[in-house]
Amino acid sequence: MTARDQLLPSAAVEGVGLSLEPPGDPVIRPLLARVAAPHAWPSLMWTDEQWTAWFAEPRRRLWSVRVDGARAVGVAELEAQQGPAVEIASFGLVPEFVGRGIGGYALTLAIEQAWRFDPTGDGPANRVWLHTSTLDHPHALQNYQRRGFRPYHTETR
């Protein structure tokens, strides 16, 4: 996505929002593990030292997806890149909340945050991007494209 007006927002879902979590917040690691487990994300195998380094990255911001302001049901990780660009490095919901119609709206909220994100002082993003693979949820790519993302690069490994 190379312009903010390319975002095709999903319909709002009452009670769904994002909550910015402080680095190292104890809710994030187990939440990411629950989101990652069905998709074999590499972070599932990280050591405590790798997690510590990951949490210490100053270009990263972590939001939990919350329902009714309380229950954390997903995660959106944004990381500033050169450009200034912002990568949605992780996005997903815990398995029991997949298929309930909140993923599109939660992604809309994450993209809106990405366009405002400026941790390096380089100014707001001029590009928001993400990556996906066949290990992700079967509807992930469809959700990304419905929000306005378009394929830039594909590869087979």
Side-chain angles (χ1 to χ4, degrees):
M1 205 178 281
T2 56
R4 188 181 195 126
D5 63 1
Q6 292 171 340
L7 171 60
L8 304 172
S10 175
V13 177
E14 189 174 332
V16 173
L18 298 183
S19 176
L20 181 61
E21 303 296 345
D25 188 296
V27 74
I28 293 295
R29 187 171 172 180
L31 180 60
L32 272 167
R34 291 187 58 220
V35 170
H39 311 294
W41 289 0
S43 59
L44 290 169
M45 305 305 289
W46 286 358
T47 64
D48 288 341
E49 291 78 20
Q50 287 172 300
W51 277 107
T52 298
W54 184 81
F55 279 121
E57 173 54 58
R59 298 173 303 140
R60 179 175 295 114
R61 298 293 182 275
L62 296 158
W63 278 265
S64 59
V65 178
R66 299 214 173 237
V67 174
D68 296 326
R71 186 166 182 195
V73 301
V75 67
E77 171 197 355
L78 305 182
E79 187 171 307
Q81 305 291 322
Q82 291 182 350
V86 174
E87 176 186 6
I88 299 176
S90 300
F91 175 80
L93 302 174
V94 297
E96 62 270 25
F97 277 80
V98 171
R100 293 189 180 191
I102 65 173
Y105 183 56
L107 182 59
T108 296
L109 297 173
I111 295 167
E112 289 171 345
Q113 288 294 338
W115 282 113
R116 290 190 290 269
F117 190 40
D118 181 20
T120 62
D122 292 333
N126 63 11
R127 180 173 85 116
V128 174
W129 64 281
L130 50 76
H131 57 272
T132 189
S133 79
T134 55
L135 295 176
D136 287 339
H137 189 277
H139 297 278
L141 180 60
Q142 183 180 34
N143 187 18
Y144 301 149
Q145 290 176 325
R146 284 184 175 167
R147 302 292 72 79
F149 285 103
R150 61 185 188 281
Y152 174 78
H153 176 78
T154 59
E155 64 182 63
T156 302
R157 292 191 223 177

